[in-house]
Amino acid sequence: MKFDDVILGRRSIRGYKPDPVPKALIEEIIGLAMRAPSSMNTQPWNFYIITGEPLDKIRAGNTERMVAGVPQSREFRQGQAFAGQHRDRQVGVAKQLFAAMGIARDDKDMRQDWVLRGFRQFDAPVCVIVTYDKVLDGSDDTPFDCGAVTTALVNAAWSRGLGAVINSQGIMQSPVVREHAGIAEDQVIMKSIALGWPDDDFPANAVVSERKAVAEATVFVGFGD
């Protein structure tokens, strides 16, 4: 695929086929992703690639604890809830997804089911947990680098026919993730990525999130008219 086709064609995938993803293909994608920019070449990132029974245990543990009301325990800072235009964009994409899935505003059961899909990593056959070295905790460059490598990873996956969605629901219950993924104590859990072959019949997969215009996002300084 051409670069423009990957960037313009990629979208978040929330419905997957059950087919397994070959380990060699995942290794190829990770290798491509790790060519992402890294501040002073620190390369703070690491990846735990989970499938099969360990992933099933994480899904079950996440779901059970969240349904039981156990407070979330994300390890990377969460910050304040979105407000203003950022909240508007969050709500906007949710409306797109609910419309595609036929989930009515007052359908509490379907909305709950949708939330639980996130805690199950959208039933993808593979989950990638992105971690960073704890010794770098507090560095502003580290999350920037992890964001860069994660973006490169989902784009590399798309170029190989795989779909992905970056999420936090899958790591809301970090003790569950640590136990079943065997995450080392010197690592901080940052993000998770659902990964697999897209199910083209899953309505939400057709949703393309809206983007603000270039003119709205940019300020040109020193350029002539």
Side-chain angles (χ1 to χ4, degrees), residues 22-38:
K23 180 181 176 182
L25 179 57
I26 298 174
E27 290 175 330
E28 178 183 345
I29 289 167
I30 295 292
L32 288 171
M34 290 198 301
R35 294 306 306 171
S38 172

mmCIF file of all heavy atoms in Angstrom, residues 22-38:
data_model
loop_
_atom_site.group_PDB
_atom_site.id
_atom_site.type_symbol
_atom_site.label_atom_id
_atom_site.label_comp_id
_atom_site.label_asym_id
_atom_site.label_seq_id
_atom_site.Cartn_x
_atom_site.Cartn_y
_atom_site.Cartn_z
ATOM 1 N N PRO A 22 -0.705 -14.621 12.570
ATOM 2 C CA PRO A 22 0.596 -15.282 12.689
ATOM 3 C C PRO A 22 1.597 -14.460 13.499
ATOM 4 O O PRO A 22 1.694 -13.237 13.334
ATOM 5 C CB PRO A 22 1.052 -15.421 11.235
ATOM 6 C CG PRO A 22 -0.206 -15.383 10.427
ATOM 7 C CD PRO A 22 -1.120 -14.450 11.168
ATOM 8 N N LYS A 23 2.330 -15.130 14.346
ATOM 9 C CA LYS A 23 3.345 -14.465 15.181
ATOM 10 C C LYS A 23 4.370 -13.743 14.317
ATOM 11 O O LYS A 23 4.803 -12.622 14.637
ATOM 12 C CB LYS A 23 4.030 -15.497 16.074
ATOM 13 C CG LYS A 23 5.095 -14.912 16.985
ATOM 14 C CD LYS A 23 5.733 -16.010 17.829
ATOM 15 C CE LYS A 23 6.866 -15.451 18.687
ATOM 16 N NZ LYS A 23 7.530 -16.528 19.472
ATOM 17 N N ALA A 24 4.769 -14.363 13.206
ATOM 18 C CA ALA A 24 5.782 -13.758 12.336
ATOM 19 C C ALA A 24 5.288 -12.435 11.757
ATOM 20 O O ALA A 24 6.075 -11.483 11.598
ATOM 21 C CB ALA A 24 6.152 -14.720 11.210
ATOM 22 N N LEU A 25 3.998 -12.352 11.451
ATOM 23 C CA LEU A 25 3.445 -11.112 10.920
ATOM 24 C C LEU A 25 3.452 -10.017 11.978
ATOM 25 O O LEU A 25 3.767 -8.853 11.689
ATOM 26 C CB LEU A 25 2.025 -11.353 10.401
ATOM 27 C CG LEU A 25 1.282 -10.140 9.836
ATOM 28 C CD1 LEU A 25 2.067 -9.484 8.704
ATOM 29 C CD2 LEU A 25 -0.109 -10.544 9.365
ATOM 30 N N ILE A 26 3.126 -10.383 13.208
ATOM 31 C CA ILE A 26 3.149 -9.402 14.298
ATOM 32 C C ILE A 26 4.573 -8.905 14.526
ATOM 33 O O ILE A 26 4.809 -7.712 14.722
ATOM 34 C CB ILE A 26 2.573 -10.012 15.589
ATOM 35 C CG1 ILE A 26 1.105 -10.414 15.367
ATOM 36 C CG2 ILE A 26 2.684 -9.019 16.744
ATOM 37 C CD1 ILE A 26 0.491 -11.165 16.535
ATOM 38 N N GLU A 27 5.535 -9.812 14.475
ATOM 39 C CA GLU A 27 6.937 -9.409 14.634
ATOM 40 C C GLU A 27 7.351 -8.437 13.535
ATOM 41 O O GLU A 27 8.079 -7.461 13.785
ATOM 42 C CB GLU A 27 7.841 -10.648 14.622
ATOM 43 C CG GLU A 27 7.709 -11.513 15.863
ATOM 44 C CD GLU A 27 8.524 -12.789 15.761
ATOM 45 O OE1 GLU A 27 8.719 -13.297 14.640
ATOM 46 O OE2 GLU A 27 8.961 -13.289 16.820
ATOM 47 N N GLU A 28 6.894 -8.683 12.322
ATOM 48 C CA GLU A 28 7.195 -7.788 11.203
ATOM 49 C C GLU A 28 6.611 -6.404 11.454
ATOM 50 O O GLU A 28 7.281 -5.381 11.242
ATOM 51 C CB GLU A 28 6.626 -8.376 9.916
ATOM 52 C CG GLU A 28 6.842 -7.507 8.678
ATOM 53 C CD GLU A 28 6.205 -8.105 7.434
ATOM 54 O OE1 GLU A 28 5.848 -9.300 7.450
ATOM 55 O OE2 GLU A 28 6.047 -7.361 6.448
ATOM 56 N N ILE A 29 5.377 -6.351 11.928
ATOM 57 C CA ILE A 29 4.712 -5.079 12.192
ATOM 58 C C ILE A 29 5.405 -4.319 13.320
ATOM 59 O O ILE A 29 5.624 -3.106 13.228
ATOM 60 C CB ILE A 29 3.227 -5.340 12.528
ATOM 61 C CG1 ILE A 29 2.481 -5.776 11.269
ATOM 62 C CG2 ILE A 29 2.573 -4.104 13.147
ATOM 63 C CD1 ILE A 29 1.114 -6.352 11.550
ATOM 64 N N ILE A 30 5.768 -5.029 14.371
ATOM 65 C CA ILE A 30 6.472 -4.379 15.488
ATOM 66 C C ILE A 30 7.814 -3.826 15.015
ATOM 67 O O ILE A 30 8.220 -2.717 15.393
ATOM 68 C CB ILE A 30 6.682 -5.370 16.651
ATOM 69 C CG1 ILE A 30 5.330 -5.806 17.247
ATOM 70 C CG2 ILE A 30 7.567 -4.762 17.732
ATOM 71 C CD1 ILE A 30 4.584 -4.731 17.974
ATOM 72 N N GLY A 31 8.507 -4.585 14.184
ATOM 73 C CA GLY A 31 9.788 -4.115 13.655
ATOM 74 C C GLY A 31 9.647 -2.832 12.860
ATOM 75 O O GLY A 31 10.476 -1.923 12.973
ATOM 76 N N LEU A 32 8.596 -2.744 12.051
ATOM 77 C CA LEU A 32 8.338 -1.507 11.310
ATOM 78 C C LEU A 32 8.013 -0.366 12.262
ATOM 79 O O LEU A 32 8.518 0.759 12.114
ATOM 80 C CB LEU A 32 7.175 -1.721 10.336
ATOM 81 C CG LEU A 32 7.436 -2.578 9.105
ATOM 82 C CD1 LEU A 32 6.128 -2.859 8.377
ATOM 83 C CD2 LEU A 32 8.420 -1.887 8.174
ATOM 84 N N ALA A 33 7.154 -0.642 13.249
ATOM 85 C CA ALA A 33 6.721 0.402 14.179
ATOM 86 C C ALA A 33 7.892 0.999 14.949
ATOM 87 O O ALA A 33 7.917 2.206 15.216
ATOM 88 C CB ALA A 33 5.696 -0.174 15.155
ATOM 89 N N MET A 34 8.877 0.181 15.269
ATOM 90 C CA MET A 34 9.984 0.666 16.095
ATOM 91 C C MET A 34 10.963 1.557 15.331
ATOM 92 O O MET A 34 11.954 2.013 15.902
ATOM 93 C CB MET A 34 10.704 -0.512 16.758
ATOM 94 C CG MET A 34 9.860 -1.161 17.831
ATOM 95 S SD MET A 34 10.812 -2.177 18.985
ATOM 96 C CE MET A 34 11.540 -3.378 17.881
ATOM 97 N N ARG A 35 10.663 1.814 14.059
ATOM 98 C CA ARG A 35 11.409 2.840 13.332
ATOM 99 C C ARG A 35 10.793 4.216 13.565
ATOM 100 O O ARG A 35 11.240 5.215 12.992
ATOM 101 C CB ARG A 35 11.431 2.523 11.832
ATOM 102 C CG ARG A 35 12.207 1.259 11.462
ATOM 103 C CD ARG A 35 13.615 1.268 12.005
ATOM 104 N NE ARG A 35 14.348 2.474 11.621
ATOM 105 C CZ ARG A 35 15.544 2.811 12.099
ATOM 106 N NH1 ARG A 35 16.135 2.030 12.991
ATOM 107 N NH2 ARG A 35 16.149 3.906 11.690
ATOM 108 N N ALA A 36 9.801 4.304 14.429
ATOM 109 C CA ALA A 36 9.173 5.590 14.754
ATOM 110 C C ALA A 36 10.198 6.512 15.416
ATOM 111 O O ALA A 36 11.180 6.049 16.021
ATOM 112 C CB ALA A 36 7.994 5.367 15.697
ATOM 113 N N PRO A 37 9.985 7.834 15.318
ATOM 114 C CA PRO A 37 10.895 8.769 15.991
ATOM 115 C C PRO A 37 10.956 8.496 17.494
ATOM 116 O O PRO A 37 9.946 8.123 18.108
ATOM 117 C CB PRO A 37 10.253 10.137 15.716
ATOM 118 C CG PRO A 37 9.409 9.940 14.507
ATOM 119 C CD PRO A 37 8.909 8.535 14.586
ATOM 120 N N SER A 38 12.128 8.688 18.063
ATOM 121 C CA SER A 38 12.320 8.486 19.495
ATOM 122 C C SER A 38 13.229 9.581 20.032
ATOM 123 O O SER A 38 14.318 9.810 19.489
ATOM 124 C CB SER A 38 12.946 7.110 19.760
ATOM 125 O OG SER A 38 13.299 6.970 21.114
#
